[in-house]
Amino acid sequence: MAFDIEMIQARYKKMEAAITAAKKVVGRPLTLTEKILYSHLWDGNAQQAFSRGKDYVDFAPDRVAMQDATAQMALLQFMQAGRKKVAVPSTVHCDHLITAKVESGKDLGIALDENKEVYDFLSSVSTKYGIGFWKPGAGIIHQVVLENYAFPGGMMIGTDSHTVNAGGLGMIAIGVGGADACDVMAGLPWELKWPKAIGVKLTGKLNGWTAAKDVILKVAGILTVKGGTGAIVEYFGPGAESLSCTGKGTICNMGAEIGATTSTFAYDASMERYLRSTDRAEVADLANQYKEFLTADKEVYADPAKYFDEVIEINLDTLEPYVNGPFTPDLATPISKMKEEAAKNGWPTKVEVGLIGSCTNSSYEDISRAASLAKQVSAKGLKTKAEFTITPGSELVRYTIERDGFIDSFHKIGAKVFSNACGPCIGMWSRVGAEKKEKNTIVHSFNRNFQARQDGNPNTYAFVASPEITTALAIAGDLGFNPLTDTLTNEKGEQVKLDPPSGEELPPKGFAVEDAGYLAPAADGSGVQVIVDPKSTRLQLLAPFQKWEGTDLKGLKLLIKAKGKCTTDHISMAGPWLKFRGHLDNISNNLLIGATNFANGKQNEVKNQLTGNYEPVPQTQRAYKAAGIGSIVVGDENYGEGSSREHAAMEPRHLGVRAVLVKSFARIHETNLKKQGMLALTFANKDDYEKIQEDDVIDIIGLTSFAEGKALTLVLNHKDGKKDEITVNHTYNAQQIDWFKAGAALNLMKA
Ligand code: MIC
Ligand code: SF4
């Protein structure tokens, strides 16, 4: 049975008029993305055409999803908004806080105990405000959303960058910070800059060892981690239709790694099969009825160069499997070149662990294909060389793959099955020996492989590959192994070759589950009490941020000039810090501890300008705060890449950083900074980055006439008495300037 079917029906009923109006103002055929965006305008049917990359537009998303690590902050903010109930269907998913150590049952038991306070908080807030609650063990947010809530032509936001997974079912699904989710749940519009359009035409058909994952691994190699910034990627062509719905989900999911706002596919037979198989025949019937609105106009796919800002073409017939990494998801190496590349770069080739699963690659299809390889191990007299783990994406998948014997096949190669949760993907992996910080290699089918992300060891070389290639490399124990051409020596000393993987798109016997793990909210939650213990180390009610003092900001100390990659993992690390996601003051102790200081090349060692000593970043910033001195953080390109976690913006705000000045921002992080009342600035001339010196005291001039499109000036007062004046840009519109002035967007909502 489908959730919220009336909402879906109502949405489809409005589509025709909305799309007709849009075509009139735009005056040409529309892409699918445009159809979905124009049919979700907050102000109703379009009166004007919007310019890509320029216009800020208000939208009315159909739903909101939140995962536990970000939901705490989103809901702490929502509790301040003064609403009785959420305005759109919303859900909370408990998936990020479960440590993978022994196996699913034991690990889940420990998590339930350790996180009791947080789970109780989330479930009571959920039931109070009418939010659906998915218990720990139910599965990972994006998999559960795909199985239950995503629908073609819909629009949703979620407090996790991989919300984009739902593009696999034809949605426009976008990752946001908690403050954005809070707005939509409070019944306010959601704002986004009208995106640019990238078209990816897929021809041919996957075959042999190649999987859907390889499409996005290849695209990541082409576009790099920032190539999709500000754009929505629309996949189309015969190759797109030949992919399974969950395969499409995998491609959209990892689209977060190219910085894309989201990715999507047109409604087709694979989506219909998936909807029916996940017990949503009503949604499939409705989508069939409205099919023409759930794909682009014919002219668009016939002549894509005319309608997209950029078009990429990939032929699935000849696409090779890829292995991306280490340390960044866009370093794409075709499997045939891996041996050579690894040798050239000194990457350790012994694969210690292969990890499959996660929110992006644990579909029935993925698991059945990986299991077909596991089965060959004993049949061919082989022995698996590396450790092997599986994190199923949901209880529905786990139960079904267990029933169908796949878990058994994995157990036979010595695999550990972890809980239906993020686990190792987010660093909740109690990996034996990681503390020794040895140089080693792992291969996984997750999305991200930033340094130290999985096991906290900065010397772990993590590579991303399809579940099939991950399994093959784990069996071989060798990063340079190419299963397409190479043989392995079995226990009898014979040379054997692995057969290409085979599997089923959907379970032939249907999906099954005993307890999917869903808790419906109370019909009337007004009497539910939400308790936050003032002594808690894990939860802390929010105090409003102070409003702008009305003057230019003078005498700011440079906190850190970060060098090179500075993702949200560097700004607010996950893993052990996840437990403080509901406690702003405590989590602020991880502020920028992973960022590299340009001045000494070290992490978490910056000059405290008050003492002249080198101290950890959070400690230094707390000293400035105590002295009532503001500060500024400087960064490189694509600053804030990765996660949607707004902690990366709230922590500096809480500790008194006033501005973040970078060469370029990742989209979600830039918005998060604005929402929390910070100044998010970019160098007008990127070379000015070089002018910032360790002992600089900085003034920000022009704030009293802060206006849309008008640059600001920074005065760098160097220690030697010299000064530099540089121009900095911003993308604030009038409303966002009001957030800055009010101290945070939330302060305005309450006003
Ligand atoms: C991630 O994949 O990095 C996460 C953990 O899912 C994050 C969310 C978070 O930091 O809580 C994301 O992608 O948004
Ligand atoms: Fe969880 Fe990893 Fe997916 Fe993020 S990418 S939601 S951490 S499984």
Side-chain angles (χ1 to χ4, degrees), residues 559 588-591 593 604 606 608 610-611 613-626 655:
L559 174 62
S588 294
N589 290 330
N590 76 0
L591 177 67
I593 60 174
N604 204 19
V606 292
N608 177 339
L610 301 176
T611 61
N613 297 333
Y614 283 87
E615 290 170 16
V617 187
Q619 195 176 315
T620 307
Q621 183 53 37
R622 282 193 192 272
Y624 294 151
K625 184 178 184 177
L655 293 185

Side-chain angles (χ1 to χ4, degrees), residues 140 143 165 211-214 216 246-247 249-251 253-254 355-364 366-367 390-393 444-447 464-468:
I140 311 174
Q143 190 64 38
N165 184 58
K213 183 82 161 189
D214 297 307
I216 185 63
T246 50
T250 297
I251 293 172
N253 195 320
M254 203 179 156
L355 307 99
I356 64 164
S358 88
C359 67
T360 173
N361 268 118
S362 61
S363 64
Y364 190 85
D366 288 332
I367 300 291
I390 304 140
T391 40
H444 63 65
S445 69
F446 312 154
N447 285 309
V464 185
S466 67
E468 294 88 329

Side-chain angles (χ1 to χ4, degrees), residues 36 78 194 225 235 345 353 409 424 435 654 735:
I36 303 179
F78 183 74
W194 196 267
V225 288
Y235 290 84
N345 294 294
V353 194
S409 310
E435 70 290 346
H654 171 63
Q735 174 178 300

Side-chain angles (χ1 to χ4, degrees), residues 96 140-142 160 162 358-359 422 425-426 447 453:
H96 277 63
I140 311 174
I141 174 168
H142 314 302
D160 189 285
H162 295 109
S358 88
C359 67
C422 300
C425 179
I426 182 56
N447 285 309
R453 177 173 167 104

Side-chain angles (χ1 to χ4, degrees), residues 254-432:
M254 203 179 156
E257 269 48 68
I258 55 165
T261 301
T262 191
S263 310
T264 196
F265 283 83
Y267 178 63
D268 66 11
S270 73
M271 296 189 196
E272 176 174 1
R273 289 193 296 275
Y274 186 72
L275 283 168
R276 294 194 189 283
S277 155
T278 48
D279 204 15
R280 287 174 290 171
E282 304 116 288
V283 182
D285 292 341
L286 271 174
N288 285 341
Q289 215 177 310
Y290 292 94
K291 232 182 193 140
E292 65 181 293
F293 307 125
L294 306 175
T295 182
D297 290 326
K298 277 200 289 304
E299 298 86 334
V300 172
Y301 295 158
D303 189 5
K306 214 166 135 188
Y307 301 93
F308 293 98
D309 302 308
E310 184 178 349
V311 180
I312 295 171
E313 191 165 331
I314 297 175
N315 181 352
L316 304 183
D317 284 336
T318 54
L319 179 67
E320 240 195 284
Y322 273 79
V323 180
N324 287 20
F327 308 128
T328 184
D330 58 352
L331 185 55
T333 306
I335 189 104
S336 58
K337 297 269 167 354
M338 197 34 140
K339 203 175 282 160
E340 201 181 309
E341 283 299 309
K344 206 163 79 196
N345 294 294
W347 299 334
T349 49
K350 180 168 181 276
V351 175
E352 303 285 344
V353 194
L355 307 99
I356 64 164
S358 88
C359 67
T360 173
N361 268 118
S362 61
S363 64
Y364 190 85
E365 184 179 40
D366 288 332
I367 300 291
S368 64
R369 284 170 61 86
S372 77
L373 299 170
K375 281 185 202 146
Q376 294 178 41
V377 171
S378 64
K380 300 201 172 189
L382 290 161
K383 241 188 137 139
T384 307
K385 298 268 175 53
E387 279 178 52
F388 194 69
T389 75
I390 304 140
T391 40
S394 72
E395 177 58 12
L396 185 74
V397 160
R398 194 211 58 80
Y399 189 95
T400 310
I401 60 173
E402 179 169 56
R403 179 201 64 192
D404 293 352
F406 300 139
I407 298 247
D408 200 39
S409 310
F410 291 126
H411 274 148
K412 288 197 179 118
I413 64 164
K416 273 188 193 165
V417 181
F418 291 142
S419 305
N420 311 319
C422 300
C425 179
I426 182 56
M428 295 296 275
W429 182 23
S430 181
R431 184 180 177 196
V432 179

Side-chain angles (χ1 to χ4, degrees), residues 476-487:
D478 176 8
L479 186 67
F481 173 66
N482 179 0
L484 283 78
T485 51
D486 298 351
T487 55

Side-chain angles (χ1 to χ4, degrees), residues 553-559 609-610 624 629-632 691-701 714-725:
L553 301 178
K554 295 208 172 142
L556 305 179
K557 305 278 187 207
L558 176 74
L559 174 62
Q609 292 192 32
L610 301 176
Y624 294 151
I629 301 170
S631 69
I632 176 164
K691 293 192 179 144
I692 312 271
Q693 297 172 17
E694 189 175 27
D695 295 289
D696 278 356
V697 176
I698 300 169
D699 307 328
I700 304 179
I701 311 295
L714 248 66
V715 182
L716 313 173
N717 302 289
H718 304 306
K719 202 178 176 190
D720 59 7
K722 296 208 180 100
K723 275 184 197 211
D724 267 309
E725 226 179 78

